[in-house]
Amino acid sequence: MKEIALQSKDGKIFTIDREAMMISEMIRDMLEINEEEEEEETTIKEEEITLIEEDQMNLTSTNNNNKKITIPLKNIHSRALQKIVDYCNYYHKNKENEKEITKYPIKKPIKSKTQFDESLCEFDLTFLEMDQSLLIELLLATNYLNIKNLLDLLTCKIASMITNGKSVENLRNMFEIESDFTKQEEEKLADLNKWCGEELNTNYYF
């Protein structure tokens, strides 16, 4: 088994089977470019791949010729990277077991949280049990690494969170979005849209 190491922005290193991480198109492209250019190269500038010896990573191997590629991910914190490694490991190990994995792409539109939950495997349901700040952080990290199925899972999770008639104010608070309108402008918009009826005023998306 060929392994690579991923280093988070806070310095933590995660070792993972190289094939498991090939689900990330960004990682795959980096590794392929590195191999094509120079097998023995020790450093590639950002987005960087560095070669370090296993004994530098507190591994037990004493083979001086045994080197492992370490990829610094300077904008991904360890708590998000740990989740990504867990996801990639699970789907790599269970790729032949259709009963244990979610069928991607996830069926859309997402009309309710119940509908969404029923489309997921047990692992994904447990995987998504996280606070909202980590969910957003993980979404950004996944987009950066270009992991399509995980990105599909996370965006559908967010869609399922906003299908229950949440107000504009609820959504702004949820995703920490500042309003582009002044209070006076919002009042004016509400007044202009009175004809829409109470259910479609500017306070609600759904």
Side-chain angles (χ1 to χ4, degrees), residues 39-56:
E39 271 184 34
E40 299 296 324
E41 189 170 2
T42 56
T43 304
I44 293 179
K45 292 187 174 176
E46 178 100 14
E47 304 208 42
E48 307 214 322
I49 298 178
T50 4
L51 291 175
I52 64 174
E53 295 183 355
E54 284 193 340
D55 60 4
Q56 291 177 313

Side-chain angles (χ1 to χ4, degrees), residues 9-26:
K9 73 175 181 180
D10 51 327
K12 293 188 179 180
I13 292 177
F14 300 85
T15 300
I16 184 170
D17 182 348
R18 177 191 175 107
E19 287 304 311
M21 206 59 217
M22 296 298 264
I23 191 175
S24 162
E25 293 189 12
M26 191 271 274

Side-chain angles (χ1 to χ4, degrees), residues 9 11 17 20 48 56 71 82 96 99 149 161 165 183:
K9 73 175 181 180
D17 182 348
E48 307 214 322
Q56 291 177 313
I71 304 175
Q82 178 68 71
E96 303 299 333
K99 292 182 179 179
N149 284 353
M161 293 165 61
K183 187 176 180 180

Side-chain angles (χ1 to χ4, degrees), residues 24-198:
S24 162
E25 293 189 12
M26 191 271 274
I27 296 292
R28 185 174 67 240
D29 290 346
M30 289 172 68
L31 292 173
E32 288 175 354
I33 290 170
N34 186 46
E35 287 175 354
E36 288 171 5
E37 288 183 348
E38 208 175 330
E39 271 184 34
E40 299 296 324
E41 189 170 2
T42 56
T43 304
I44 293 179
K45 292 187 174 176
E46 178 100 14
E47 304 208 42
E48 307 214 322
I49 298 178
T50 4
L51 291 175
I52 64 174
E53 295 183 355
E54 284 193 340
D55 60 4
Q56 291 177 313
M57 297 177 59
N58 299 319
L59 298 180
T60 56
S61 174
T62 56
N63 183 353
N64 290 331
N65 294 321
N66 195 0
K67 299 199 173 192
K68 179 179 293 173
I69 294 176
T70 297
I71 304 175
L73 300 170
K74 297 179 180 179
N75 59 348
I76 301 179
H77 192 275
S78 58
R79 69 174 193 156
L81 191 53
Q82 178 68 71
K83 296 286 286 183
I84 288 169
V85 167
D86 291 345
Y87 180 90
C88 293
N89 273 330
Y90 179 84
Y91 271 86
H92 180 61
K93 291 174 183 176
N94 292 278
K95 59 187 176 183
E96 303 299 333
N97 189 351
E98 292 186 3
K99 292 182 179 179
E100 299 297 326
I101 60 177
T102 296
K103 185 178 179 180
Y104 289 97
I106 295 169
K107 187 178 179 180
K108 300 171 189 69
I110 305 297
K111 296 181 179 179
S112 69
K113 183 179 182 301
T114 301
Q115 173 215 335
F116 173 63
D117 288 348
E118 288 175 351
S119 69
L120 304 182
C121 66
E122 194 62 37
F123 171 83
D124 283 353
L125 283 170
T126 303
F127 177 85
L128 289 172
E129 293 174 359
M130 67 186 87
D131 61 63
Q132 191 172 289
S133 63
L134 177 54
L135 177 63
I136 301 302
E137 187 178 338
L138 185 56
L139 177 66
L140 294 173
T142 301
N143 185 59
Y144 173 69
L145 292 173
N146 200 1
I147 305 175
K148 292 191 183 303
N149 284 353
L150 181 52
L151 191 59
D152 188 28
L153 177 67
L154 296 173
T155 52
C156 287
K157 168 63 176 177
I158 291 172
S160 75
M161 293 165 61
I162 61 176
T163 55
N164 295 318
K166 291 197 170 50
S167 70
V168 170
E169 194 61 34
N170 289 153
L171 294 172
R172 283 179 186 153
N173 291 334
M174 182 182 294
F175 299 109
E176 298 180 356
I177 300 170
E178 291 186 10
S179 174
D180 292 329
F181 300 105
T182 65
K183 187 176 180 180
Q184 291 75 17
E185 287 173 328
E186 288 183 346
E187 289 174 353
K188 185 176 180 180
L189 284 170
D191 188 57
L192 288 171
N193 289 280
K194 280 181 179 177
W195 63 273
C196 294
E198 205 170 301

